[in-house]
Amino acid sequence: MPRVLLLVLGLMASNVFMTIAWYAHLKGFKEKPWLLVALVSWLIAFFEYLIHVPANRIGHQVLNVGQLKILQEVITLSVFVPFALFYLGEPLRWNYLWAGFCLLGAVYFIFRG
């Protein structure tokens, strides 16, 4: 399997864990003590790191650090927006579109020759 594909799949999987760790508690755990929620989030984030670190090591073999970071941000937004809409019930806002356009600009500038 090509390294870039492994990188993208790894970053997507790690972002699912990260998004759950950072934001899932906002819906169903508002009454729980924050320390308990933080500990559960850290446990979830542990699995995110188990995927994210190897993905970045694989990715750094074919991309530079700036390209890795911008790719990470694009993947983060593409995981976060559906999560915010469908799980958290946030309304679709124009800001997501504008942020996406800004990221497309960042992709262009970081990946151009």
Side-chain angles (χ1 to χ4, degrees):
M1 185 177 297
R3 288 184 181 140
V4 173
L5 182 58
L6 280 174
L7 166 65
V8 170
L9 292 174
L11 290 180
M12 288 175 71
S14 74
N15 263 277
V16 169
F17 280 100
M18 179 193 74
T19 302
I20 291 169
W22 286 14
Y23 300 104
H25 63 89
L26 297 175
K27 182 174 182 180
F29 300 97
K30 291 181 182 181
E31 286 77 34
K32 301 290 183 192
W34 75 265
L35 186 57
L36 174 65
V37 173
L39 291 173
V40 171
S41 292
W42 285 344
L43 179 63
I44 296 168
F46 172 75
F47 293 102
E48 183 251 333
Y49 276 90
L50 287 178
I51 301 168
H52 190 92
V53 171
N56 271 339
R57 286 179 172 230
I58 291 167
H60 195 247
Q61 296 173 11
V62 292
L63 301 175
N64 66 45
V65 175
Q67 291 169 329
L68 278 173
K69 182 59 182 171
I70 295 302
L71 181 59
Q72 170 64 39
E73 296 304 328
V74 169
I75 291 170
T76 296
L77 190 60
S78 58
V79 168
F80 176 76
V81 170
F83 180 85
L85 296 175
F86 299 116
Y87 180 77
L88 294 176
E90 292 284 319
L92 183 60
R93 299 196 172 132
W94 284 104
N95 293 349
Y96 294 137
L97 179 66
W98 307 136
F101 282 140
C102 289
L103 281 175
L104 286 177
V107 167
Y108 170 77
F109 285 112
I110 204 74
F111 282 96
R112 71 181 179 157

